[in-house]
């Protein structure tokens, strides 16, 4: 995916959508053009970022008790997935394609302790319809309906499967700038080099230094981190119906079988399970 300048758009007035203990789930829908983004911001309630069509990139800085700042994670999100953003977490949302963006604002009173970290959720057919239903025009007399929808949404979120599709990134302020630049380059073109040595030649740091930085700042080796990047790029392509052979080639794999083996080992299912029809089941 080539790097392009994005147009920042204001978050806008959130007061009409502010959740409360009495109405813990609120829905906001917006049609967004490609290459637009919401700059990093935070708010006291939780948020579910979901696009009914299009493609999002969501970056969340989770608070972590053993760090001086949050661990930043970037996820590329197709319509079959959504990103949970916990209350107070700093986050940014970018449109990689023209998208129909739905955001659920969720009151902290209904957010349990295990939901204090961001995560990627599989969007079931029922959850999709519930989200769409919450945005439909309604009258004050429909309060009972809204409460029922909120209860069902919260139940679906609690039981939605999660997937390890987020890509951890170095801290933008405190992280090593060379590592940050390398990670951004890999995120934009993951198939350009398959090895850390290949990337190191353009980073201004030695392979040994970069390997140490990956362990120290991201808690994993380069190959495992790059695999997360490949999965983040592959899933949206599969969701759009791109043949597995093309997805494998775009990821830099010489054969479909090698790519499928990596994919199955990481997600427990073959790439074919994540096509445009299967992904909505």
């Amino acid at each position: 995916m080539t790097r392009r300048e994005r147009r920042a758009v204001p978050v806008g007035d959130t007061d009409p959508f502010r959740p409360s203990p009495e109405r813990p789930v609120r829905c906001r829908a917006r049609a967004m053009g490609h290459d637009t983004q919401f700059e990093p911001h935070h708010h006291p309630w939780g948020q579910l970022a979901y696009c009914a069509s299009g493609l999002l990139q969501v970056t969340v800085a989770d608070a972590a008790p053993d760090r001086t700042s949050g661990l930043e994670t970037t996820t590329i999100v197709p319509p079959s997935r959504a990103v949970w953003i916990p209350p107070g977490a700093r986050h940014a949302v970018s449109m990689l394609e023209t998208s129909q963006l739905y955001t659920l604002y969720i009151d902290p009173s209904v957010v349990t302790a295990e939901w204090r970290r961001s995560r990627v959720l599989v969007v079931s057919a029922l959850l999709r319809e519930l989200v769409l239903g919450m945005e439909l025009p309604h009258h004050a007399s429909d309060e009972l309906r809204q409460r029922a929808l909120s209860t069902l949404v919260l139940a679906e979120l609690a039981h939605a499967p999660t997937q390890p599709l987020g890509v951890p990134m170095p801290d933008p302020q405190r992280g090593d700038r060379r590592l940050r630049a390398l990670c951004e380059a890999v995120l934009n073109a993951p198939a350009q080099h398959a090895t850390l040595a290949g990337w190191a030649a353009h980073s201004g740091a030695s392979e040994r230094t970069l390997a140490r930085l990956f362990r120290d700042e991201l808690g994993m080796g380069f190959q495992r981190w790059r695999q997360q990047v490949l999965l983040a790029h592959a899933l949206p392509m599969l969701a759009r119906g791109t043949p597995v052979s093309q997805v494998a080639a775009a990821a830099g794999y010489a054969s479909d079988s090698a790519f499928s083996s990596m994919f199955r080992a990481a997600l427990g299912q073959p790439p074919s399970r994540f096509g445009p029809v299967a992904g909505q089941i």
Side-chain angles (χ1 to χ4, degrees), residues 172-192:
Q173 280 77 44
R174 298 175 176 84
D176 187 279
R177 292 183 180 180
R178 297 165 298 177
L179 180 63
R180 177 86 185 187
L182 184 148
C183 288
E184 290 179 346
V186 178
L187 192 61
N188 283 307
Q192 184 172 340

Side-chain angles (χ1 to χ4, degrees), residues 25-48:
V25 182
R26 304 293 297 272
C27 181
R28 185 178 193 179
R30 283 168 285 186
M32 306 298 299
H34 74 284
D35 291 342
T36 60
Q37 67 178 5
F38 297 105
E39 296 289 0
H41 62 283
H42 61 89
H43 35 64
W45 52 81
Q47 177 176 317
L48 188 77

Side-chain angles (χ1 to χ4, degrees), residues 113-265:
E114 60 267 26
W115 284 79
R116 295 296 175 176
R117 299 294 299 273
S118 62
R119 58 183 67 184
V120 178
L121 304 178
V122 178
V123 177
S124 67
L126 176 57
L127 180 56
R128 171 188 168 87
E129 293 306 315
L130 289 170
V131 172
L132 300 183
M134 289 203 72
E135 198 274 326
L136 293 175
H138 63 280
H139 304 285
S141 59
D142 294 334
E143 196 64 32
L144 183 61
R145 173 180 177 273
Q146 289 298 312
R147 286 201 299 269
L149 286 174
S150 294
T151 299
L152 288 172
V153 164
L154 293 173
E156 278 297 289
L157 291 179
H159 293 91
T162 62
Q163 290 181 330
L165 296 177
V167 178
M169 295 288 286
D171 186 279
Q173 280 77 44
R174 298 175 176 84
D176 187 279
R177 292 183 180 180
R178 297 165 298 177
L179 180 63
R180 177 86 185 187
L182 184 148
C183 288
E184 290 179 346
V186 178
L187 192 61
N188 283 307
Q192 184 172 340
H193 301 290
T195 65
L196 183 56
W199 287 102
H202 308 285
S203 68
S206 69
E207 180 182 2
R208 182 176 180 178
T209 296
L210 290 169
R212 175 181 57 79
L213 289 171
F214 268 99
R215 291 192 302 269
D216 292 348
E217 295 197 21
L218 300 180
M220 65 180 68
F222 170 74
Q223 288 301 334
R224 180 183 165 198
W225 181 86
R226 180 173 176 267
Q227 178 179 284
Q228 291 298 103
V229 176
L230 294 177
L231 292 171
H233 279 260
L235 185 60
M237 295 178 69
L238 293 167
R240 290 195 296 266
T242 305
V244 173
S245 59
Q246 293 183 27
V247 179
Y253 278 78
S255 69
D256 298 0
S257 60
F259 170 77
S260 296
S261 177
M262 179 278 292
F263 196 98
R264 184 188 289 271

Side-chain angles (χ1 to χ4, degrees), residues 13-30:
D13 182 14
T14 58
D15 284 346
F17 307 95
R18 182 184 295 269
S20 65
E22 296 73 30
R23 189 169 176 185
V25 182
R26 304 293 297 272
C27 181
R28 185 178 193 179
R30 283 168 285 186

Side-chain angles (χ1 to χ4, degrees), residues 2-15:
T2 57
R3 187 177 181 86
R4 297 174 291 187
E5 291 296 323
R6 298 195 180 103
R7 179 175 59 86
V9 296
V11 175
D13 182 14
T14 58
D15 284 346

